[in-house]
C-alpha cells in the first residue's frame, strides 16, 4: 500500500471518528472544515465518499479551496459552491 493511501485512510479515519461521535450541546450536528481542499488527492477524495455516506446526517462539511477544478465530483456534488475573491491588502485596509 502506498504512503499516500495510508495517509488518506488515517485522515478520513480521524474525520469519521469525530463526525460519528455524539455532538455536545444543543446543536444536532457537527461541522468539519477542510482548508486547502484542492490539495486533497483524487484518491483521498474517493475515500471521502464513504466517510460522507456514513456521517452525512450528523455532519456538515465545508471545503475551502482556491481551485474548484481540482475537486472531483464526489466532493462537488455534496452541496452549494460559493466563490470569494481574495482582497489585495491595500483594498482591505482602505488605502
Amino acid at each position: 500500500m502506498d504512503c499516500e493511501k495510508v495517509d488518506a485512510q488515517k485522515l478520513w479515519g480521524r474525520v469519521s471518528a469525530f463526525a460519528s461521535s455524539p455532538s455536545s450541546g444543543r446543536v444536532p450536528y457537527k461541522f468539519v472544515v477542510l482548508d486547502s481542499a484542492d490539495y486533497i488527492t483524487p484518491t483521498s477524495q474517493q475515500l471521502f465518499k464513504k466517510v460522507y455516506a456514513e456521517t452525512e446526517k450528523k455532519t456538515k462539511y465545508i471545503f475551502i479551496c482556491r481551485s474548484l477544478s481540482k475537486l472531483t465530483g464526489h466532493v462537488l456534488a455534496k452541496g452549494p459552491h460559493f466563490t470569494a475573491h481574495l482582497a489585495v491588502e491595500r483594498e482591505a485596509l482602505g488605502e
Side-chain angles (χ1 to χ4, degrees):
M1 189 178 292
D2 64 20
C3 186
E4 176 187 305
K5 190 165 185 176
V6 171
D7 290 343
Q9 288 176 336
K10 185 176 180 180
L11 167 69
W12 292 119
R14 292 181 73 187
V15 169
S16 181
F18 169 77
S20 300
S21 65
S23 59
S24 60
R26 293 185 236 169
V27 179
Y29 45 85
K30 295 180 178 188
F31 288 98
V32 174
V33 179
L34 294 159
D35 193 7
S36 301
D38 42 350
Y39 289 101
I40 299 172
T41 64
T43 302
S44 187
Q45 290 181 47
Q46 178 68 27
L47 292 171
F48 166 71
K49 183 178 177 183
K50 180 182 177 194
V51 172
Y52 181 84
E54 294 171 354
T55 61
E56 67 181 315
K57 292 184 180 178
K58 294 193 264 181
T59 307
K60 306 300 178 196
Y61 293 90
I62 299 169
F63 290 87
I64 301 171
C65 66
R66 290 182 180 236
S67 175
L68 284 176
S69 65
K70 293 184 180 180
L71 299 179
T72 63
H74 305 296
V75 174
L76 292 173
K78 302 306 177 196
H81 311 124
F82 302 98
T83 303
H85 300 282
L86 295 175
V88 178
E89 188 174 328
R90 278 189 190 161
E91 291 176 22
L93 296 174
E95 294 178 2

